[in-house]
Amino acid sequence: MLYPVVESYLPTEILKARDRYRLNREDKEDDPVVSKDKVLENLMTFLRHEVEGEEHRFLAETSFGDGMKRKESRKPPLRDEPTAATLIANTSVGRNQCIFCERAHASQDNQKISNLAYEDRKGQVMRKRCCLVCLKPGHMAKRCHSSVKCLICGRRHYALLCPDLRKGKISSKSREGDEEQHSTETLLTNLPSERKIYLKTITVRLRHKNKEVCVRALMDDGSHRSYIEKSLVAELNLSLSGTTVLSQGLFGGGISPSMEYGRFTVTVESLDRKYLTSMSLLGQPKICSTLSRICDRNLIAELASRGIKLTGVGQDTPPLRVLL
């Protein structure tokens, strides 16, 4: 009764090996493995022989020091590459290597190709035999499973391959005559027209030596640097503490040319003078355009009932001249 239960738990390879062994030794009734009496004991004897044989083979392989080589030779071939085109592309192009200039950056960040017309940009990608969605080689756009979304039009491609990319650049060039407006557009990308959207601002006191000025600061979580208007630098008579060369990533995937920014150290203090800290700010001609001040009395009353006191309220609020 136990024999079929034990046999059902054995791997298929073991059962096949036992059947082959039994067929080859049917003429030998004295063989304990093929004897028809005590089938369960015969099965256990066969398993013991198999285990001992496997131990002997392992000992023979490792005794001469080439066991690792033999194990590696028995490994199945890798099947991560579905096509030969993908294999060639993955061996010739690095993981974070641009497909256009072969430098160590993402292909969608290539600014040289972004200056070309849409047909030229698309043609270069097709000549490289890359996907028009994710810019990676080895597959077509219709078979791409990447969740890429354009920041300009919202369609399924990078901003580098957006037909509206050059239109945005041409319209911005036509406004280069007004330097103040141009510097405003580089840092503030959206102006709400249908309803007012209040950004996070706070009124702080900047102090340097014997001078102090109350200004409105924009709390920008997406910026990696803090900025101060150059006119405020002159007003506080701040001294240059160093320079920094950097380029700014703009809305839509564009990157501004590298520029040198002056670095200034100033003390930032709360209005109640309970908190102060020293910060390093980069000089900028203009932080952003005019931001809406909160004038909704119902909103102010509701926030006050929740223990929230706003500083950027009313028309008497100082202008926005710092980005934190």
Side-chain angles (χ1 to χ4, degrees):
M1 294 176 61
L2 290 177
Y3 174 76
V5 177
V6 175
E7 190 179 33
S8 63
Y9 279 92
L10 294 177
T12 307
E13 293 77 6
I14 297 296
L15 296 177
K16 291 181 179 180
R18 181 173 176 273
D19 291 339
R20 287 193 297 268
Y21 183 86
R22 186 167 52 187
L23 291 175
N24 294 332
R25 306 296 295 271
E26 283 183 350
D27 54 337
K28 297 183 178 181
E29 294 294 336
D30 57 341
D31 195 323
V33 179
V34 298
S35 176
K36 295 182 180 180
D37 299 331
K38 300 181 180 180
V39 289
L40 183 59
E41 294 182 4
N42 297 340
L43 178 61
M44 300 306 296
T45 303
F46 171 77
L47 294 178
R48 184 174 65 254
H49 291 171
E50 287 292 311
V51 172
E52 292 176 354
E54 184 65 25
E55 291 177 351
H56 293 163
R57 285 192 295 271
F58 177 77
L59 182 62
E61 290 178 354
T62 56
S63 60
F64 294 99
D66 60 346
M68 294 300 296
K69 296 182 180 179
R70 295 188 181 183
K71 288 183 179 180
E72 292 178 357
S73 64
R74 291 197 297 266
K75 289 184 178 180
L78 298 177
R79 297 182 180 180
D80 294 335
E81 311 299 340
T83 61
T86 308
L87 177 62
I88 296 174
N90 288 351
T91 53
S92 61
V93 181
R95 183 178 179 182
N96 293 323
Q97 192 174 24
C98 178
I99 61 175
F100 306 107
C101 62
E102 297 184 356
R103 294 184 179 180
H105 62 83
S107 303
Q108 60 269 20
D109 295 336
N110 192 307
Q111 293 303 304
K112 293 183 178 180
I113 189 176
S114 65
N115 295 326
L116 303 178
Y118 170 70
E119 296 298 333
D120 297 335
R121 283 178 275 142
K122 182 178 179 181
Q124 286 205 25
V125 177
M126 296 181 67
R127 282 193 295 272
K128 294 288 184 176
R129 296 183 179 181
C130 297
C131 175
L132 293 174
V133 176
C134 64
L135 299 180
K136 294 181 180 179
H139 62 274
M140 304 294 289
K142 60 182 180 180
R143 296 183 179 180
C144 183
H145 301 288
S146 178
S147 58
V148 175
K149 188 174 182 180
C150 179
L151 296 176
I152 301 176
C153 64
R155 285 177 286 184
R156 192 165 170 261
H157 55 247
Y158 279 112
L160 183 67
L161 293 181
C162 183
D164 300 333
L165 178 61
R166 291 288 299 170
K167 295 179 183 179
K169 290 190 175 183
I170 294 174
S171 61
S172 62
K173 289 182 179 179
S174 63
R175 296 190 296 266
E176 287 182 353
D178 191 349
E179 295 182 359
E180 181 178 359
Q181 184 178 1
H182 176 72
S183 60
T184 298
E185 291 172 354
T186 57
L187 290 182
L188 184 64
T189 56
N190 293 319
L191 288 176
S193 57
E194 298 180 357
R195 60 193 179 103
K196 289 185 178 181
I197 299 177
Y198 300 109
L199 301 183
K200 293 187 294 184
T201 61
I202 185 174
T203 303
V204 295
R205 181 182 288 106
L206 299 185
R207 199 155 45 84
H208 179 68
K209 295 183 179 179
N210 297 328
K211 296 184 178 181
E212 61 179 32
V213 178
C214 289
V215 297
R216 191 178 177 210
L218 172 64
M219 310 291 289
D220 188 358
D221 300 336
S223 179
H224 294 179
R225 299 289 190 276
S226 297
Y227 297 88
I228 183 174
E229 276 192 0
K230 289 186 176 180
S231 60
L232 186 56
V233 172
E235 187 175 342
L236 292 173
N237 196 19
L238 300 178
S239 57
L240 185 67
S241 61
T243 58
T244 300
V245 178
L246 55 88
S247 59
Q248 297 177 353
L250 308 179
F251 178 78
I255 299 178
S256 65
S258 298
M259 295 179 58
E260 186 179 36
Y261 294 84
R263 189 167 60 250
F264 306 92
T265 303
V266 65
T267 300
V268 181
E269 188 179 31
S270 60
L271 295 180
D272 56 5
R273 300 184 184 275
K274 293 183 179 180
Y275 174 82
L276 62 87
T277 182
S278 180
M279 297 190 65
S280 179
L281 309 176
L282 301 181
Q284 179 75 17
K286 186 72 173 178
I287 298 299
C288 66
S289 64
T290 304
L291 290 182
S292 300
R293 295 174 172 84
I294 299 179
C295 301
D296 190 346
R297 296 182 179 179
N298 296 329
L299 178 59
I300 297 174
E302 181 180 353
L303 293 177
S305 64
R306 299 173 181 267
I308 301 174
K309 183 180 179 181
L310 302 180
T311 57
V313 177
Q315 298 298 328
D316 297 334
T317 306
L320 199 152
R321 307 175 71 180
V322 174
L323 184 146
L324 302 178

